[in-house]
């Protein structure tokens, strides 16, 4: 059952109860008033009759003729009168259906004039006003009867009217309630529809109700929740996409070496090849396997970096630079490394790897006559490092993506110098693990600068930025 | 016959395709990037183009459009295995789609089928007085049709394609019978003997003891060994 319908039902029931109570009260009041009026009327009539009797009668012997003349002088409906002496009925036009007992009860102790309501055997009510009339020859009891049929009929009529009007009113009220409740609960329907749609995958759906009540605040917190859900979902989907992209790029990366190795091996094993073919095939198989080996190593390194973060310890930059000088392969352009006394918080091996990769990238992009150099400067608790070159530069359009795994600015060029597309991804990850990130600044044809900053180790050392 | 254009930027793959197709008797011209390939298409006619999709500068899809104006059929060779990519390639009008890694034999078979379908290749292989149609799978000797079993046919096709080269026993066996078959390799010798009988090739198929078999070139045939008596 709908909430609006429940509300409508409850309100209608409440209204019905109130209406009924009101009707009962008013009906009762009117009925009582009617009865009182009837009693007063009966009493007045009785007073008149007593007066007429006292003035018109000298003895009870003249009762019957007097009564007849009184009835005829009154005209219209015959009056309901009863005159009793003790238990003897002297004159009686009261309805025959009135039982003697009820009559006695009404007349009993009738020293004072009093009014009672008597019910006859047919269930009809009659009002009796009775009292004692003193005549010269003794006291008589005079009873004046008055039918209450009219009062009862009026009550029944009013009850019927009240019922009919009540029913119509209730029906109208129910319709009104229903419209109102529907209107008031419409925001709930919107909330429900929104949550359904969100559940069905439309995460951008919001309710934005401005009803200025609890529903508005519910809507606000609902929207907040939807925001949080959407953000989380997008984050997850982003991660998934990243992973899918990585796997796709990685499998693509595997295709070339595997195709070559399989293809050349198949060429070699099938038949006796010419010496040139054999030489070429063997070369390719060797180099492609080597490429796979390097790729595997880099991938392992990248995956290890995704595990526990390395412990950062104070490392003298000089030590790292010394290691670099030993590790970098000879050839032009010769990288210029500064002498620097600063110490940084870092993992020595990873920092060496990072600089090594950046320097080798710079050398690959720089013609033999160009320059590749490293700068280091201490500044406010941070040591700023930069690897710079005067090489070919990176197109601005490629800059945002160069740290993505397997992304290459120039695929065939990168392959010729043995690039595997993971170097910068690895560098970016190492930088991230050191709480910094790589900033690239490049002008095509003029050169590239890669900067990052490390926390200085708490230790007093001076750093001169001389190229060495 | 017109040469085949190979547009592939990875030197190992480009060389592999060139060596494979040359070995199957086709002439190849290799382009290492899209611009070079486009220039070649403009400058000369090709029987077929084998295109990598991800080429620098001008990609394979664009090259396909150039090729279509000249009516040259094209086969895509690519690392993209997704169905959507294949559908796109084929819908654009590529004749076939080969996904890396591929076996050289598969490449040859597909090239041959496309050439045959587009009516561009003289796909029949010939040696001495024997002629073989690899697509129709029929063999003639001196104009007279010879009926071969499927295995005999496959064996003859391999010998014809690698004419003058010694084919190793176990690889020959693996290629004809499949890697999973573990029948005795002496079946191979049996089939060779039957081929010699049916084609009258006593000396034309040379046995290299314990190594394999080779179909001799015309000039290598010892004098006096011409056919059956």
């Amino acid at each position: 059952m709908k909430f609006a319908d429940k509300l409508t039902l409850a309100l209608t029931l409440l209204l019905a109860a109130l209406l009924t109570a009101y009707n009962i009260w008013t009906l009762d009041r009117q009925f009582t008033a009617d009865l009182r009026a009837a009693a007063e009327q009966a009493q007045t009539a009785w007073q008149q009759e007593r007066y007429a009797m006292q003035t018109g009668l000298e003895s009870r012997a003249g009762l019957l003729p007097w009564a007849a003349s009184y009835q005829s002088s009154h005209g219209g409906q015959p009056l309901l009168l009863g005159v009793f002496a003790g238990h003897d009925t002297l004159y009686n036009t009261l309805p025959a259906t009135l039982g003697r007992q009820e009559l006695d009860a009404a007349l009993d102790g009738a020293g004072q004039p009093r009014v009672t309501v008597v019910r006859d055997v047919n269930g009809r009510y009659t009002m009796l006003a009775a009292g004692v009339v003193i005549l010269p020859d003794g006291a008589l009891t005079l009873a004046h009867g008055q039918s209450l049929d009219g009062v009862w009929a009026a009550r029944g009529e009013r009850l019927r009217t009240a019922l009919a009007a009540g029913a119509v009113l209730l029906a109208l009220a129910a319709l009104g309630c229903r419209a109102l409740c529907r209107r008031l609960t419409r925001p709930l329907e919107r909330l429900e529809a929104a949550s359904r749609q969100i559940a069905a995958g439309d995460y951008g759906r919001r309710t934005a109700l401005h009803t200025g009540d609890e529903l508005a605040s519910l809507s606000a917190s609902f929207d907040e929740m939807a925001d949080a859900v959407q953000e989380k979902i997008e984050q997850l989907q982003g991660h998934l996409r990243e992973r899918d992209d990585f796997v796709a790029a990685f499998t693509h990366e595997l295709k070339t070496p595997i195709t070559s190795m399989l293809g050349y091996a198949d060429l070699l094993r099938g038949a006796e090849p010419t010496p040139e073919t054999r030489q070429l095939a063997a070369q390719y198989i060797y180099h492609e396997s080597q490429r796979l080996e390097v790729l595997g190593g880099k991938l392992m390194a990248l995956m290890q970096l995704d595990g526990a973060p390395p412990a950062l310890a104070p490392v003298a930059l000089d030590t790292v630079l010394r290691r670099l000088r030993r590790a970098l392969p000879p050839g032009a352009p010769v990288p210029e490394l500064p002498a620097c006394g600063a110490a940084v918080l870092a993992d020595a091996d990873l920092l060496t790897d990072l600089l090594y990769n950046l320097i080798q990238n710079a050398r690959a992009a720089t013609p033999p006559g160009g320059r590749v150099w490293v700068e280091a400067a201490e500044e406010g608790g941070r040591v700023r490092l930069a690897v710079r070159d005067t090489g070919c530069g990176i197109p601005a359009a490629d800059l945002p993506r160069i740290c993505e795994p397997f992304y290459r600015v120039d695929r065939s060029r990168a392959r010729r110098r043995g690039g595997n597309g993971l170097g910068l991804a690895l560098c970016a990850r190492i930088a991230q693990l050191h709480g910094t990130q790589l900033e690239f600044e490049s002008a095509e044809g003029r050169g590239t600068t890669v900067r990052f900053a490390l926390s200085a180790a708490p230790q007093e050392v001076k750093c001169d930025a001389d190229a060495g | 016959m017109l040469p085949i254009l190979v547009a592939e930027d990875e030197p190992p793959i480009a060389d592999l395709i060139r060596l494979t197709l040359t070995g199957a008797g086709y002439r190849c011209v290799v382009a290492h990037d899209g611009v070079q390939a486009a220039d070649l298409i403009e400058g000369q006619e090709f029987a077929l183009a084998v295109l990598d999709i991800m080429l620098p500068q001008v990609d394979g899809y664009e090259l396909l459009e150039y090729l279509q104006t000249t009516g040259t059929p094209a086969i895509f060779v690519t690392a993209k295995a997704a169905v959507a990519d294949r559908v796109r390639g084929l819908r654009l009008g590529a004749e076939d789609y080969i996904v890396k890694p591929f076996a050289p034999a598969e490449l040859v078979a597909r090239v041959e089928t496309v050439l045959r379908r587009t009516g561009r290749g003289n796909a029949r292989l010939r040696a001495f007085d024997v002629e073989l149609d690899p697509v129709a799978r029929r063999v003639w000797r001196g104009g007279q049709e010879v009926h071969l079993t499927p295995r005999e046919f496959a064996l003859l096709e391999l010998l014809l394609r690698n004419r003058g080269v010694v084919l190793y026993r176990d690889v020959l066996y693996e290629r004809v019978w499949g890697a999973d078959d573990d029948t005795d390799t002496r079946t191979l010798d049996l089939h060779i003997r039957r081929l010699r009988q049916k084609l009258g090739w006593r000396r034309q198929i040379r046995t290299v003891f314990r190594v394999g078999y080779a179909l001799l070139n015309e000039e290598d045939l010892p004098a006096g060994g011409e056919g059956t008596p």
Side-chain angles (χ1 to χ4, degrees), chain A residues 4-5 27 32 46 53 64 92 100 104 142 154 187 194 210 234 246 258 315 323 341 347 393 408 422 436 439 457:
Chain A
D5 295 341
L27 283 177
T32 316
W46 183 82
M53 215 166 146
L64 288 178
N92 191 6
R100 185 71 219 183
D104 283 346
L142 170 65
H210 302 293
E234 272 165 11
F246 181 85
I258 286 180
V315 176
R323 277 162 73 171
D347 178 297
R408 276 133 183 196
L422 280 178
T436 179
E439 285 164 27

Side-chain angles (χ1 to χ4, degrees), chain B residues 20-143:
Chain B
T20 308
L21 292 182
T22 312
Y26 297 100
R27 270 194 303 138
C28 290
V29 177
V30 177
H32 287 289
D33 63 55
V35 173
Q36 204 185 341
D39 288 347
L40 283 168
I41 292 168
E42 228 167 275
Q44 69 180 101
E45 236 190 293
F46 293 99
L48 174 82
V50 178
L51 305 175
D52 183 11
I53 290 178
M54 284 168 49
L55 284 172
Q57 288 146 323
V58 181
D59 70 13
Y61 294 128
E62 270 181 83
L63 284 180
L64 185 64
E65 284 171 28
Y66 295 159
L67 284 168
Q68 277 169 339
T69 59
T70 65
T72 312
I75 298 178
F76 277 136
V77 174
T78 175
K80 291 184 172 181
V83 175
D85 292 317
R86 284 196 226 196
V87 169
R88 181 175 174 203
L90 294 174
R91 212 170 253 164
L92 280 174
E95 288 292 330
D96 208 342
Y97 202 98
I98 303 178
V99 178
K100 291 177 192 172
F102 55 85
E106 185 194 355
L107 177 69
V108 172
R110 290 190 187 228
V111 162
E112 210 138 73
T113 312
V114 168
L115 284 177
R116 176 80 180 186
R117 193 163 60 213
T118 54
R120 285 174 158 257
N122 53 340
R124 287 193 178 182
L125 304 167
R126 288 188 187 84
F128 307 105
D129 58 343
V130 170
E131 208 171 307
L132 177 143
D133 185 332
V135 179
R137 302 190 71 80
R138 292 168 73 183
V139 177
W140 297 267
R141 178 189 171 198

Side-chain angles (χ1 to χ4, degrees), chain A residues 33-266:
Chain A
D34 282 357
L35 273 186
R36 197 174 305 127
E40 263 164 34
Q41 212 182 346
Q43 220 157 11
T44 316
W46 183 82
Q47 296 284 4
Q48 279 174 355
E49 279 150 19
R50 188 184 68 158
Y51 180 72
M53 215 166 146
Q54 275 176 339
T55 49
L57 263 184
E58 271 112 44
S59 70
R60 60 174 79 161
L63 179 68
L64 288 178
W66 173 84
S69 77
Y70 189 78
Q71 285 280 20
S72 62
S73 73
H74 183 75
Q77 284 263 321
L79 292 164
L80 308 179
L81 287 175
V83 183
F84 310 94
H87 288 292
D88 301 328
T89 306
L90 303 181
Y91 176 82
N92 191 6
T93 53
L94 290 171
T97 48
L98 272 182
R100 185 71 219 183
Q101 273 181 340
E102 285 92 358
L103 223 47
D104 283 346
L107 301 178
D108 203 26
Q112 293 300 314
R114 66 176 216 161
V115 181
T116 46
V117 175
V118 194
R119 187 173 186 269
D120 71 11
V121 290
N122 290 340
R124 293 170 69 176
Y125 290 88
T126 305
M127 182 155 272
L128 277 183
V132 174
V133 182
I134 310 290
L135 291 181
D137 58 347
L140 290 178
T141 304
L142 170 65
H144 171 91
Q146 197 169 322
S147 166
L148 285 178
D149 286 354
V151 175
W152 249 266
R155 190 173 83 149
E157 184 59 36
R158 272 199 295 271
L159 189 64
R160 272 190 295 282
T161 314
L163 276 178
V168 171
L169 270 178
L170 267 182
L172 286 177
L175 282 177
C177 274
R178 195 176 147 86
L180 217 64
C181 291
R182 283 269 163 96
R183 210 183 140 77
L184 283 173
T185 55
R186 198 166 304 147
L188 284 178
E189 279 167 29
R190 274 179 60 181
L191 272 169
E192 198 235 357
S195 44
R196 246 180 232 284
Q197 276 166 326
I198 289 176
D202 180 8
Y203 298 109
R205 184 61 209 255
R206 295 292 177 273
T207 51
L209 296 174
H210 302 293
T211 49
D213 52 17
E214 293 94 325
L215 281 177
S217 51
L218 174 61
S219 151
S221 47
F222 180 89
D223 286 354
E224 261 172 51
M225 180 194 74
D227 281 342
V229 168
Q230 188 179 19
E231 197 182 319
K232 195 80 198 163
I233 295 265
E234 272 165 11
Q235 206 180 337
L236 282 175
Q237 281 171 342
H239 282 313
L240 270 183
R241 210 176 307 123
E242 247 171 57
R243 234 188 48 184
D244 286 352
D245 287 351
F246 181 85
V247 171
F250 178 66
T251 34
H252 184 256
E253 212 56 34
L254 287 181
K255 290 279 170 79
T256 299
I258 286 180
T259 307
S260 310
M261 285 154 64
L262 275 177
Y264 287 111
D266 204 38

Side-chain angles (χ1 to χ4, degrees), chain B residues 133-199:
Chain B
D133 185 332
V135 179
R137 302 190 71 80
R138 292 168 73 183
V139 177
W140 297 267
R141 178 189 171 198
Q144 198 75 24
E145 187 159 2
V146 182
H147 295 283
L148 298 183
T149 66
R151 302 259 201 242
E152 287 164 0
F153 183 89
L155 198 54
L156 177 61
E157 191 182 346
L158 271 175
L159 287 168
L160 282 167
R161 283 197 191 288
N162 298 281
R163 201 163 168 199
V165 177
V166 178
L167 294 165
Y168 298 138
R169 282 182 66 88
D170 40 359
V171 178
L172 203 51
Y173 180 78
E174 189 188 304
R175 289 198 180 149
V176 174
W177 276 268
D180 305 330
D181 201 307
D182 48 355
T183 330
D184 200 330
T185 52
R186 259 172 299 176
T187 323
L188 175 66
D189 304 326
L190 202 77
H191 277 74
I192 290 283
R193 202 183 310 151
R194 268 204 261 140
L195 263 187
R196 280 177 171 149
Q197 259 167 28
K198 285 188 177 176
L199 301 174

